[in-house]
Amino acid sequence: MFNRDAKERFIKEYLATREIAPTAVENVFNSVSRLEELYNKDVCNFTRPEIIDFYQSLNAKSKERLSMTNSILKEYKTWCIENGFCYDATPYFDTFTIDDFKNYISKNILENKYIGEKTLKSYLDEIINPQDQLLLVLLYNGIKGKQLCEVINLHVNQIKGNELHLCTGRVVKVDDSVIDLIRETDNTYIYYSYGDNPRQWELVGDKVFKNTKSVRSDSMASIYHRFTTKMVNLQKMFDNPELTINRVAISGMLNALKKEADKHNITVRELILSKKAQPILEQYQFKRYPTRVLGLFEEYFEHLS
């Protein structure tokens, strides 16, 4: 990383006057360090084509992420000029618009239609709030319930080893990474907004998914509405209208079916027509006849990876 000391000074001063997650700023400089080495210069001295190369290399799923990155780097360049670290004062970062950022977003229709593990991970890497990360991960693991009751009512005391003993009475086995994210979310008491002018809110409550202090209603309908709003915000963030509660859960189910089919060296179609698929269909609360499952989802099978 070029000018590490300067970057650390900038980050400290930048965070002192803004409500933004520290990792969001640090990740920008960590991401650009490879190109800094390649071009043998600090990012504050990048030309416009070099900045474009950087933005395209991020494979970002949202124009909001690129806009926030550009905003941080724009401030960094101004800071470098004022402190004598920059030899090219041309305001390249000022020249980028939202329309520009749209051109640098990674577009893949199949990713929008079926959310594979790689796509899910790329989303999680861009989400700064553990609460939002966990929402997608739980859905992907088939944890949902009516009006998201299994998610909304999740407690750390429901963890028994690698099992989640949910409020509906269901028991779902999950990976260590899911357990770790549940505990991280439970121990997080600040929620950050997204965009160029982020804000932060204090979280309160004894459940894993805590509320902000400003929340006035604890009715199930009101809480469910807040979670659907979260999903709408994530759809906008990743420019993916397919990123819905049901679509994420279905993608998780298809991914689990593909893994199980590979284990038995058979196709997903053959797995679904056998009894081997039943535990997975039950985990995702999709108790339909195999032919019905095939009718609904067979178009996705060739895209599973």
Side-chain angles (χ1 to χ4, degrees), residues 53-102:
D53 284 346
F54 169 53
Y55 290 158
Q56 290 177 330
S57 75
L58 292 175
N59 289 318
K61 298 292 188 298
S62 67
K63 60 184 181 294
E64 284 80 9
R65 183 199 174 184
L66 291 173
S67 179
M68 183 178 73
T69 298
N70 190 77
S71 177
I72 291 170
L73 291 177
K74 176 182 173 182
E75 292 287 337
Y76 174 64
K77 175 151 190 166
T78 300
W79 184 90
C80 286
I81 293 172
E82 293 173 350
N83 287 274
F85 293 113
C86 187
Y87 57 76
D88 184 353
T90 310
Y92 293 117
F93 293 104
D94 294 48
T95 66
F96 289 89
T97 66
I98 288 292
D99 287 335
D100 289 324
F101 299 140
K102 289 179 181 178

Side-chain angles (χ1 to χ4, degrees), residues 219-245:
S219 70
M220 198 63 186
S222 176
I223 296 173
Y224 178 72
H225 175 72
R226 291 201 294 274
F227 276 80
T228 57
T229 300
K230 279 179 179 290
M231 293 302 299
V232 170
N233 290 337
L234 292 175
Q235 288 172 18
K236 293 177 181 177
M237 181 176 177
F238 297 113
D239 194 24
N240 184 359
E242 297 286 348
L243 194 64
T244 64
I245 290 171

